[in-house]
Amino acid sequence: MGDTELSQDLPQEKVNQPRGSLFWVIPDGYIPPESRGELVSHESICVLNCENRAAKLSIDIYFEDREPLEGLIEVVEGRRTRHIRTASLEKSGERIPTGIPYAITVTSDVPVIIQYSRLDTTQPELALMSVIAYPV
């Protein structure tokens, strides 16, 4: 069954409603401080933008013992996905340190869907965690 056939079976208000939310929370961030083997430990904010226009994201990073790193801007083009590695986020030369717990909020100007993933390769039995972020 194609997308056109499926959308004909759904009520029109479901077909036309925005997919996603404008504000997302990820309370458990932690970039593993080391890697072993071929894969690098990392975390990613995985964004799906189903809208036709680009989504401008504003990302804020909160720490236990220091002021937040606020207003990190990223763009996800319309009808695209983007995986934003948290280690690549930077503002005025400041980055998220490894081995330090943090939390994330993401505000978007168009509805998006956000998933969060962590690859931990600090030991040979690597671990992959992936969860849907919390839409508010």
Side-chain angles (χ1 to χ4, degrees), residues 8-54:
Q8 290 173 352
D9 294 339
L10 294 172
Q12 199 58 36
E13 65 271 8
K14 291 288 186 191
V15 173
N16 294 328
Q17 78 180 19
R19 295 181 184 115
S21 292
L22 299 175
F23 185 74
W24 295 83
V25 178
I26 303 163
D28 177 29
Y30 181 84
I31 302 171
E34 58 186 62
S35 300
R36 295 203 171 99
E38 296 178 29
L39 300 173
V40 175
S41 294
H42 67 272
E43 294 192 321
S44 293
I45 302 167
C46 310
V47 184
L48 171 60
N49 179 3
C50 295
E51 300 294 319
N52 287 323
R53 65 185 176 108

Side-chain angles (χ1 to χ4, degrees), residues 42-127:
H42 67 272
E43 294 192 321
S44 293
I45 302 167
C46 310
V47 184
L48 171 60
N49 179 3
C50 295
E51 300 294 319
N52 287 323
R53 65 185 176 108
K56 181 178 177 184
L57 309 178
S58 179
I59 301 169
D60 296 334
I61 308 297
Y62 296 88
F63 301 100
E64 294 177 353
D65 61 352
R66 64 185 84 185
E67 290 300 308
L69 182 55
E70 298 174 297
L72 301 158
I73 304 299
E74 297 289 334
V75 175
V76 180
E77 295 301 323
R79 300 180 55 192
R80 297 289 183 268
T81 185
R82 180 147 176 241
H83 293 69
I84 303 164
R85 288 211 180 174
T86 57
S88 71
L89 296 172
E90 179 180 348
K91 185 172 183 183
S92 302
E94 188 178 356
R95 292 178 175 254
I96 301 169
T98 61
I100 302 292
Y102 63 94
I104 304 168
T105 61
V106 179
T107 305
S108 178
D109 62 347
V110 301
V112 294
I113 298 161
I114 295 184
Q115 179 178 335
Y116 192 65
S117 297
R118 176 184 302 145
L119 178 63
D120 184 343
T121 65
T122 56
Q123 53 189 324
E125 298 78 20
L126 62 83

